[in-house]
Amino acid sequence: MPVKLFVCYIVSYNSAQTLRPCIESVLKQKLPEWIKLQIVVTDNASSDASFSIACNFLHKPHSCIRNDVNMGFSGAHNQGISNALAEGAAYILLLNPDAALEENSLEKLILAAELHTEAGMFSPLLLRASADLKPLQEKLVDAAGMYITPSIRHFDRGSNQVLKKDYSQAEYVFG
């Protein structure tokens, strides 16, 4: 199989407290041999140490970018998506700096994407964590995808519920 670029894109804004464990969780990923991982952190003009943490921690092929102004969450992500596509990325993960991945998260997403080429977006089960991104003793669901109601309101599936339902099976969700 030809090598495919996977860009993990993180937008930080005063994220010094969680940025390092977030990046560490990405670096610990078990990936198929045909995946080239690139982590890009864009700092949105933080006033804390976020930018220096990212730059001191990431080395080639990873990178960090500093915006002179806060472009906002969506603006900075649009910037990153555009750059990743220009570099030929086959996969792009938009990862919040206050999230940590389990070691096989990216592999599961990649294999699901390879199996379901008709789908354009994939998301893992999101669980709540402590302030330092450690798993909670009691697993609480943050989101298992989104659903939409007939009145066109969207909600996170399973949000704030103790993890009881088996969300290990891939399934289609609204978002």
Side-chain angles (χ1 to χ4, degrees):
M1 181 169 276
V3 173
K4 293 184 179 182
L5 177 61
F6 188 113
V7 175
C8 178
Y9 191 71
I10 303 168
V11 172
S12 67
Y13 178 73
N14 294 333
S15 307
Q17 180 180 346
T18 58
L19 193 53
R20 187 177 181 107
C22 173
I23 295 170
E24 286 173 337
S25 78
V26 179
L27 291 171
K28 291 178 184 175
Q29 292 298 297
K30 297 174 184 170
L31 297 169
E33 66 217 20
W34 44 271
I35 291 293
K36 176 186 173 193
L37 176 66
Q38 180 183 22
I39 302 169
V40 179
V41 176
T42 293
D43 184 75
N44 244 347
S46 292
S47 59
D48 69 1
S50 297
F51 183 68
S52 62
I53 288 170
C55 290
N56 290 331
F57 193 56
L58 291 175
H59 306 285
K60 294 269 184 205
H62 314 297
S63 62
C64 52
I65 299 164
R66 181 169 176 87
N67 289 333
D68 292 332
V69 296
N70 185 342
M71 296 178 63
F73 183 80
S74 297
H77 274 303
N78 288 340
Q79 172 189 21
I81 292 168
S82 178
N83 291 342
L85 291 174
E87 290 183 29
Y91 304 103
I92 304 168
L93 174 67
L94 304 180
L95 185 63
N96 287 2
D98 63 348
L101 302 173
E102 292 184 357
E103 286 184 5
N104 61 353
S105 296
L106 296 186
E107 180 181 42
K108 285 181 178 180
L109 288 173
I110 291 164
L111 295 177
E114 290 290 319
L115 186 61
H116 298 282
T117 58
E118 73 283 3
M121 293 179 18
F122 297 83
S123 177
L125 169 66
L126 302 176
L127 299 175
R128 300 272 167 96
S130 66
D132 60 353
L133 303 185
K134 301 283 188 228
L136 298 177
Q137 183 71 23
E138 183 175 52
K139 292 186 177 187
L140 289 177
V141 175
D142 189 54
M146 296 167 72
Y147 66 94
I148 192 163
T149 67
S151 63
I152 312 178
R153 292 194 61 203
H154 63 84
F155 295 96
D156 292 330
R157 293 175 60 232
S159 182
N160 212 28
Q161 296 176 8
V162 175
L163 181 61
K164 292 181 183 172
K165 182 177 178 183
D166 182 11
Y167 288 112
S168 63
Q169 296 296 323
E171 59 185 288
Y172 291 97
V173 293
F174 175 74

